[in-house]
């Protein structure tokens, strides 16, 4: 021990502490923190900074842990420092850091509930198990007040609830789907990819719920309730009344013997549902239930998606300054601790290395961009413009191509239907050949769409590499182009349906024969979506197992560079997300016309999980890009939300505007599906009607709009103020930090000076001593 | 799990359940995993102390660049050797149920190589090095990365990250609690 320290201590206590031995010192010194300070100063005065309360990790945690138990907070804060020291004295053999956390045991008598709470808090402490057990035993053996009456009851209930939660957790973990698969995927590819599979799982559950709604309100009543028979066609004098058209349609479906015909009049499609109201015994309005369930499903989907998107959006807002934290995020959150495979670990190392490099590169690019000459800028701009034009042209070309293919295939099918209907006695060989051709033409447009969806994105990927964007932007722009391609092909399909369907149907016809509108167009549309769904799913299956799998085999077993280049594939997340979202969109689109489509979608998503798992684990090598779990989740939801909103519009339009077919479905005879709701509305009691009517008038609408706008503005202002506050506080924090730094430097300089001085004095004293 | 049951009494399991983020069943499951690392040793003494080299054979730890640090942080004897209880603590912190703050606390200790309660330049350099190994960033790149990290996180400009600053970053990083996870 140097003399300076002793002197300092003496100053602190003002007594002859110099004689005190180290042990005695530690035992009886009341403020242990000061002892720490002394010790550290002995070693190195400049280390004083590490002793600041804000730099003490464990203490900080301990504080928080205590703050968590709200009931104990008030009492605790006053006794905290004392508590820490008592426990320190109690178990000197346990190492410092851990002990400083031990809660106060001896001072106060706590009641049972509080003790129990404290025991539950132990698990959050960073000490080893032996100490935890010791702590728990101490807490349990300490004398405590028994709770009386109601409090006791309340505590028992809390305890039981905790137990119940643990039980539920256990049961849930047993039920949870695909746990092992997710673990394997995580071990090989990291959490970003796991997030994708969780997204598929989420969609599966969503589809189950959608199906449950539809099943309960549409399918179950339709099967259980024996709907009253429609009046027969003979009785009515108009040969093109609803009943006659229905009969015509019914006969047609029975006659055509092919599979599509059999499927046509099943509960799978819109056409089979009755338009009658069930009145014997219980009252059940199937058409009303049909439309409400559909609307309900859409609203439910919207709420669920928005809720999920908002959750990830909130995260994004929290890391709003995220760009500034990218390095920290990468370094501290970069490693996926679940990786358990050496090969993946090596790839992950490489990916992290690349990512760091990419960040630095982006920084440099940014600099370069600022230093770019005018000439280069113009050149680049022209290049980008040109490529964007090409992309636009390709998209338009695809749209037109799909449109004509549809036209072509529909023209090919229609005469064949007549042919097969007329000549029943054809040779069976001819017939089966016909059927194959028929089937081919039927599926031709969908095959074209799917093939385009596979071919065009790779073209886009090539084009984007010419544009010289920053890497993150490249991913985004390719993705949006691909989304556009997929969605545009769906839009084209919808337009071709629209042209077919929206025609005037005269009173004396069941359907418009000149425009070849099918007898039951809703079923027709439902079938198209059904086919699209099945084709796409099949194509996923086919591509994964029969194209990509051999490719990956080739890549694994060959040394040839060219072959390897063609065979190797990375798990390209945006593409796979699109696959899933696309299927889900088809499900929503077709839902109204094929109520059982969610059931198919349940099956589809379930199979898709395994297809994608195979594509991920067997076919692909881990991606050299890093996908962030949080970001990718937000991104999935965004894509899903966009496509959902985009495609509720056509469904909404068809419900509100297009005339349902006369010969089938729950809405035959109405001008539009919506008019049914108007009829129902007219049956409401007067007061309800007037209220609802009032809600629709400008008298309500304008004030409501104004109030909402004001609220919006208010929240906007609050958020701006908060943002400002954040920057102010941050600046203040930085300033405080500087002040602290300054003071610490001065302090340590002062201490050093003091030490030197003391040394000097002592030496002088010694010298004097030797002299005298 | 007849084997597991015989090695633990009901009270012990209850204690473990109270003191970790696991249910009793998961505790037993963790013990199975622990036992698999050294069947003969753990078979005799359920709380046998396994050397760090044995613990590092746990797949997730083997692949982890900070495997040895993790062992050291959780080892009750501070030398990396772990008993079952240490292992249980480790898995409990890495489980899904553990809150972010607890994870952050341990992550800080894992990254704090020199144990001075601050993440200084040396610590950060080691972290980055271990992350990118076997490739190494060249010196200028490394300097730049460290500079950026400190720019982002070091609020009081003292050239090192304190726990408060580290926690601040972790609060803002939604990836952290997802990636700082080992499924049993």
């Amino acid at each position: 021990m140097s003399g300076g320290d002793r002197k300092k201590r003496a100053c602190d206590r003002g007594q002859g502490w110099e004689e005190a031995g180290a042990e005695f010192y530690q035992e009886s010194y009341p403020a242990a923190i000061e002892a720490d300070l002394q010790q550290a100063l002995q070693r190195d005065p400049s280390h004083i900074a590490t002793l600041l309360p804000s730099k003490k990790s464990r203490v900080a945690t301990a504080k928080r842990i205590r703050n968590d138990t709200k009931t104990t907070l008030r009492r605790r804060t006053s006794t905290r420092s004392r508590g820490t020291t008592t426990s320190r004295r109690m178990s000197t053999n346990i190492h410092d850091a851990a002990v400083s956390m031990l809660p106060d045991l001896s001072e106060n008598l706590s009641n049972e509930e509080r003790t129990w709470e404290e025991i539950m808090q132990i698990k959050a402490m960073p000490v080893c198990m032996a100490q935890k057990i010791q702590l728990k035993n101490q807490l349990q053996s300490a004398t405590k007040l028994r709770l009386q009456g109601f409090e006791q009851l309340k505590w028992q209930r809390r305890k039981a609830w905790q137990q119940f939660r643990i039980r539920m957790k256990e049961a849930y973990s047993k039920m949870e789907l695909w746990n092992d698969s997710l673990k394997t995927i995580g071990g090989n590819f990291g959490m970003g990819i796991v997030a994708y599979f969780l997204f598929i799982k989420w969609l599966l559950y969503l589809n189950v719920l959608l199906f449950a709604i539809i099943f309960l309100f549409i399918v179950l009543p339709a099967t259980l309730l024996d709907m009253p028979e429609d009046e027969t066609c003979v009785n009515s004098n108009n040969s093109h009344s609803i009943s006659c058209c229905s009969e015509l349609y019914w006969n047609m479906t029975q006659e055509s013997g092919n599979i599509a015909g059999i499927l046509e009049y099943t509960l799978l499609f819109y056409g089979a549902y009755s338009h009658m109201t069930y009145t014997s015994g219980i009252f059940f309005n199937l058409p009303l239930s049909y439309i409400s369930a559909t609307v309900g499903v859409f609203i439910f989907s919207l709420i669920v998606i928005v809720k999920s998107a908002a959750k990830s959006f909130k995260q994004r807002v929290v890391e709003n300054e995220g760009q500034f934290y990218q390095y920290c995020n990468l370094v501290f959150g970069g490693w996926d601790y679940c990786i358990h495979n050496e090969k993946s670990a090596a790839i992950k190392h490489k990916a992290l290395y690349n990512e760091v490099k990419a960040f630095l590169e982006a920084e440099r690019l940014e600099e370069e961009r600022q230093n770019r000459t005018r000439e280069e800028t113009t050149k680049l701009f022209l290049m980008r413009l040109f490529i964007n034009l090409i992309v636009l042209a390709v998209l338009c070309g695809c749209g037109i191509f799909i449109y004509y293919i549809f036209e072509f295939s529909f023209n090919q099918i229609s005469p064949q239907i007549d042919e097969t209907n007329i000549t029943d006695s054809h040779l069976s060989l001819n017939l089966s050949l016909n059927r194959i051709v028929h089937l081919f033409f039927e599926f031709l447009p969908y095959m074209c769409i799917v093939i385009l969806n596979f071919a065009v994105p790779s073209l886009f990927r090539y084009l984007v590499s010419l544009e010289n964007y920053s890497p993150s932007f490249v991913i985004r722009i390719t993705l949006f182009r691909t989304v556009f391609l997929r969605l545009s092909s769906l839009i084209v399909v919808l337009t071709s349906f629209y042209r077919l369907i929206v025609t005037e149907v005269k009173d004396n016809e069941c359907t418009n024969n000149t425009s070849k509108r099918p007898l039951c167009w809703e079923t027709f549309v439902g079938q198209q979506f059904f086919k699209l769904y099945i084709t796409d799913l099949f194509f996923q299956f086919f591509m994964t197992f029969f194209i990509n799998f051999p490719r990956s085999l080739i890549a694994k077993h060959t040394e040839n560079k060219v072959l390897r280049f063609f065979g190797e594939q990375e798990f390209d997340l945006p593409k796979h997300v699109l696959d899933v979202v696309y299927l889900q969109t088809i499900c929503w689109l077709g839902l109204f016309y094929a109520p059982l489509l969610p059931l198919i979608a349940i099956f589809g998503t379930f199979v898709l999980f395994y297809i994608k798992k195979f594509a991920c684990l067997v076919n692909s090598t881990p991606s050299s890009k890093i996908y962030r779990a949080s970001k990718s989740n937000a991104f999935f939801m965004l894509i899903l939300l966009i496509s959902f909103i985009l495609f509720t519009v056509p469904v909404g339009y068809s419900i509100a505007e297009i005339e349902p077919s006369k010969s089938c479905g729950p809405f035959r005879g109405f001008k539009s599906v919506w008019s049914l709701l108007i009829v129902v509305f007219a049956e409401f009691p007067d007061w309800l009607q007037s209220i609802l009517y009032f809600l629709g008038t400008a008298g309500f609408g304008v004030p409501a709009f104004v109030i909402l706008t004001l609220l919006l503005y208010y929240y906007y202002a609050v958020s701006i103020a908060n943002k400002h506050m954040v920057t102010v506080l941050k600046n203040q924090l930085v300033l405080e930090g500087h002040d602290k730094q300054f003071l610490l430097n001065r302090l340590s300089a002062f201490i050093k000076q003091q030490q030197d001085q003391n040394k000097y004095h002592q030496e002088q004293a010694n010298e004097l001593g030797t002299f005298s | 799990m007849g084997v597991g049951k015989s090695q633990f009494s009901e009270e012990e399991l209850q204690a473990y359940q109270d003191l970790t983020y696991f249910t009793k069943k998961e505790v037993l499951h963790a013990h199975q995993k622990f036992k698999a690392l050294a069947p003969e040793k753990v078979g005799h003494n359920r709380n046998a102390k396994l050397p760090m080299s044995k613990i590092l054979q746990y797949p997730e730890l083997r692949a982890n660049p900070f495997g040895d640090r993790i062992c050291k942080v959780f080892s009750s004897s501070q030398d990396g050797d772990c008993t079952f209880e240490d292992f249980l603590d480790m898995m409990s912190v890495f489980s899904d149920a553990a809150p972010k703050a607890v994870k952050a606390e341990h992550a800080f200790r894992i990254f704090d190589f020199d144990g001075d309660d601050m993440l200084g330049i040396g610590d950060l350099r080691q972290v980055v090095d271990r992350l990118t190994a076997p490739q190494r960033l060249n010196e200028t790149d490394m300097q730049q990365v460290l500079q950026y990290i400190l720019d982002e996180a070091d609020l009081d400009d003292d050239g090192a990250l304190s726990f408060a600053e580290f926690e601040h970053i972790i609060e803002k990083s939604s990836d952290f609690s997802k990636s700082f996870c080992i499924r049993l």
Side-chain angles (χ1 to χ4, degrees), chain A residues 47 49-50 54-58 60-61 64 95 101 119-120 122-130 132-133 136 140 163 166-167 169-170 173-174 179 182-183 191 194 198 315 318-321 323-342 345-346 348-350 352-353 356-357 360 363-364 367 628-631 633 726 730 733-738 740-741, chain B residues 11 14-26 33 58-66 70 74 76 78 85-86 88-89 92 94 97 99 101-102 105-106 108-111 116-119 124 127-128 130-138 141 144-145 148-149 152-153 155-158 161-176 178-184:
Chain A
H47 251 253
T50 60
S54 66
K55 314 260 156 142
K56 277 276 186 185
S57 53
R58 276 115 225 169
T61 323
R64 197 182 35 257
H95 85 268
M101 318 212 28
I119 289 176
M120 287 298 140
I122 295 175
K123 62 174 85 160
M125 295 187 185
V127 295
C128 70
M129 183 63 78
K132 284 188 199 168
I133 291 176
K136 189 187 167 203
Q140 269 175 341
Q163 287 286 330
I166 290 173
R167 288 272 163 70
K169 206 178 114 195
E170 228 161 56
S173 69
K174 230 182 275 173
N179 246 347
L182 290 176
K183 192 185 160 169
M191 292 309 287
V194 170
L198 285 175
Q315 272 175 358
V318 169
E319 341 156 13
N320 206 352
E321 307 117 289
Q323 278 305 309
F324 305 119
Y325 281 104
Q326 54 181 4
Y327 289 96
C328 287
N329 234 333
L330 183 70
V331 170
F332 298 125
W335 187 262
D336 270 320
Y337 283 71
C338 60
I339 285 182
H340 59 60
N341 173 326
E342 237 119 272
K348 185 85 190 173
H349 278 300
K350 193 141 197 241
L352 281 168
Y353 176 76
V356 173
K357 278 283 197 192
L360 293 172
E363 219 87 32
R364 256 165 242 152
E367 245 166 60
R628 299 255 161 58
S630 60
K631 273 204 187 128
N633 207 10
V726 166
K730 202 168 173 185
L733 198 64
V734 171
L735 276 182
E736 296 284 333
H738 284 249
K740 194 166 65 184
Q741 206 60 33
Chain B
E11 293 90 68
Q14 183 62 45
Y16 286 145
Q17 177 174 310
D18 286 346
L19 297 177
T20 62
Y21 293 98
F22 286 136
T23 61
K24 287 177 195 167
K25 246 185 102 182
E26 284 167 327
K33 294 259 173 162
Y58 192 74
E60 271 91 350
L61 295 182
R62 192 176 48 200
N64 197 311
F66 307 107
I70 296 174
F74 284 97
S76 45
Q78 261 112 75
E85 289 182 343
D86 297 335
L88 194 64
D89 273 335
S92 160
F94 279 111
V102 176
E105 166 84 17
H106 285 89
F108 186 78
R109 282 164 69 186
I110 289 169
F111 294 144
D116 64 352
D117 269 342
M118 297 282 272
L119 297 186
L124 292 176
V127 171
V128 176
R130 282 189 183 216
L131 278 177
T132 58
Q135 299 92 341
R136 285 180 73 96
L137 290 173
N138 58 36
D141 281 352
Q144 227 169 347
V145 169
Y148 283 132
I149 292 175
E152 285 171 2
L155 293 176
D156 59 5
D157 272 345
D158 59 355
L161 303 187
S162 67
F163 177 67
E165 285 160 348
F166 181 74
E167 211 187 11
H168 184 73
I169 308 163
I170 297 301
E171 274 310 314
K172 295 218 162 188
S173 151
S174 50
D175 284 328
F176 174 78
K178 284 199 186 85
S179 64
F180 201 75
C181 255
I182 295 178
R183 279 164 197 264
L184 251 188

